[in-house]
Coordinates of all heavy atoms in Angstrom, one line a residue:
Chain J
H48 N 8.2 -9.9 16.9 CA 8.2 -9.7 18.4 C 7.4 -10.8 19.0 O 6.2 -11.2 18.5 CB 7.4 -8.3 18.5 CG 8.1 -7.2 18.2 ND1 8.8 -6.2 19.0 CD2 8.3 -6.6 16.9 CE1 9.3 -5.4 18.4 NE2 9.0 -5.4 17.1
P49 N 7.9 -11.2 20.2 CA 7.1 -12.3 20.9 C 5.8 -11.8 21.4 O 5.6 -10.6 21.7 CB 8.0 -12.7 22.0 CG 9.0 -11.5 22.2 CD 9.1 -10.8 20.9
D50 N 4.7 -12.7 21.2 CA 3.5 -12.3 21.7 C 3.5 -12.0 23.2 O 4.1 -12.8 24.0 CB 2.4 -13.4 21.5 CG 2.3 -13.6 20.0 OD1 2.7 -12.7 19.1 OD2 1.9 -14.7 19.6
P51 N 2.8 -10.9 23.6 CA 2.9 -10.7 25.1 C 1.9 -11.6 25.9 O 0.8 -11.5 25.9 CB 2.3 -9.2 25.3 CG 2.2 -8.7 23.8 CD 2.2 -9.9 22.9
V52 N 2.5 -12.7 26.4 CA 1.7 -13.8 27.1 C 2.0 -14.1 28.4 O 1.7 -14.9 28.9 CB 1.6 -15.1 26.2 CG1 0.9 -14.9 24.9 CG2 3.1 -15.5 26.0
V124 N -5.2 -3.2 13.8 CA -4.5 -3.2 12.6 C -5.3 -4.1 11.5 O -5.3 -5.2 11.7 CB -3.0 -3.8 12.6 CG1 -2.3 -3.7 11.3 CG2 -2.2 -3.1 13.8
W148 N -2.7 -2.3 23.8 CA -2.8 -3.6 23.1 C -3.0 -3.5 21.8 O -3.3 -2.4 21.2 CB -4.1 -4.3 23.8 CG -4.0 -4.5 25.2 CD1 -3.4 -5.7 25.8 CD2 -4.5 -3.7 26.3 NE1 -3.6 -5.5 27.3 CE2 -4.2 -4.3 27.4 CE3 -5.2 -2.5 26.4 CZ2 -4.5 -3.8 28.8 CZ3 -5.4 -2.0 27.6 CH2 -5.1 -2.6 28.7
V149 N -2.6 -4.5 21.0 CA -2.7 -4.6 19.6 C -3.5 -5.8 19.2 O -3.3 -6.9 19.6 CB -1.2 -4.7 18.8 CG1 -1.3 -4.7 17.5 CG2 -0.4 -3.5 19.5
L150 N -4.4 -5.5 18.2 CA -5.3 -6.6 17.6 C -4.9 -6.6 16.2 O -5.1 -5.6 15.5 CB -6.7 -6.3 17.9 CG -7.7 -7.4 17.5 CD1 -8.9 -7.5 18.4 CD2 -8.3 -7.3 16.2
A151 N -4.4 -7.9 15.7 CA -4.2 -8.0 14.2 C -5.3 -8.6 13.6 O -5.7 -9.7 14.0 CB -2.9 -8.9 14.0
M152 N -6.0 -8.0 12.7 CA -7.2 -8.4 12.0 C -6.9 -8.8 10.6 O -6.5 -8.2 9.8 CB -8.3 -7.4 12.0 CG -9.6 -7.6 11.5 SD -10.6 -6.2 11.5 CE -12.1 -6.9 10.7
A156 N -2.7 -9.1 8.1 CA -2.1 -8.6 9.2 C -1.4 -9.7 10.0 O -0.3 -9.4 10.7 CB -3.1 -7.8 10.2
G171 N 3.4 -10.3 8.3 CA 2.9 -10.2 9.8 C 3.3 -9.0 10.4 O 4.4 -8.7 10.5
V172 N 2.3 -8.4 11.1 CA 2.6 -7.0 11.7 C 3.4 -7.5 13.0 O 3.8 -6.4 13.5 CB 1.3 -6.3 12.0 CG1 0.6 -5.8 10.8 CG2 0.4 -7.1 12.9
N173 N 3.5 -8.7 13.4 CA 4.3 -8.7 14.7 C 5.7 -8.7 14.4 O 6.5 -8.7 15.2 CB 3.9 -10.2 15.3 CG 4.1 -11.4 14.4 OD1 4.6 -11.3 13.3 ND2 3.9 -12.5 14.8
L174 N 6.0 -8.4 13.0 CA 7.5 -8.0 12.8 C 7.8 -6.6 13.2 O 8.9 -6.2 13.6 CB 7.8 -8.2 11.3 CG 7.9 -9.7 10.8 CD1 7.9 -9.6 9.3 CD2 9.2 -10.3 11.3
V176 N 5.3 -4.6 15.5 CA 4.7 -4.4 16.9 C 4.3 -5.7 17.5 O 3.9 -6.7 16.8 CB 3.5 -3.4 16.8 CG1 4.0 -2.0 16.5 CG2 2.5 -3.9 16.0
P177 N 4.5 -5.8 18.8 CA 3.9 -7.1 19.4 C 2.4 -7.2 19.3 O 1.7 -6.2 19.6 CB 4.4 -6.9 20.8 CG 4.7 -5.6 21.1 CD 5.0 -5.0 19.7
V178 N 1.9 -8.3 19.1 CA 0.5 -8.4 18.9 C -0.2 -9.3 19.9 O 0.3 -10.3 20.3 CB 0.2 -9.1 17.6 CG1 -1.4 -9.4 17.2 CG2 0.7 -8.4 16.3
D179 N -1.2 -8.8 20.6 CA -2.0 -9.5 21.7 C -2.9 -10.6 21.1 O -3.1 -11.6 21.6 CB -2.7 -8.4 22.6 CG -1.7 -7.6 23.3 OD1 -1.2 -8.1 24.4 OD2 -1.3 -6.6 22.8
V180 N -3.8 -10.1 20.2 CA -4.8 -11.0 19.7 C -4.7 -11.1 18.2 O -4.6 -9.9 17.5 CB -6.2 -10.5 20.2 CG1 -7.3 -11.3 19.6 CG2 -6.4 -10.4 21.7
Y181 N -4.9 -12.2 17.6 CA -4.9 -12.4 16.2 C -6.4 -12.9 15.8 O -6.9 -13.7 16.4 CB -4.0 -13.5 15.7 CG -2.6 -13.2 16.1 CD1 -2.1 -13.7 17.3 CD2 -1.7 -12.7 15.0 CE1 -0.6 -13.3 17.5 CE2 -0.4 -12.4 15.3 CZ 0.1 -12.8 16.5 OH 1.5 -12.6 16.7
K202 N -8.2 -11.3 28.4 CA -6.7 -11.2 28.6 C -6.5 -10.1 29.6 O -5.7 -10.2 30.6 CB -6.1 -11.0 27.2 CG -4.6 -10.9 27.4 CD -4.0 -10.9 26.0 CE -2.4 -11.0 26.0 NZ -1.9 -11.0 24.7
R212 N 5.9 -4.8 31.0 CA 5.6 -5.3 29.6 C 6.7 -6.1 29.1 O 7.9 -5.7 29.1 CB 5.2 -4.0 28.8 CG 4.8 -4.3 27.4 CD 3.4 -4.0 27.2 NE 2.9 -4.3 25.8 CZ 1.8 -4.6 25.5 NH1 0.8 -4.6 26.3 NH2 1.5 -5.0 24.1

Side-chain angles (χ1 to χ4, degrees):
Chain J
H48 289 261
D50 300 339
V52 288
V124 188
W148 295 274
V149 180
L150 189 148
M152 179 182 179
V172 294
N173 58 4
L174 288 170
V176 294
V178 177
D179 291 272
V180 177
Y181 298 87
K202 186 171 180 173
R212 184 106 184 157

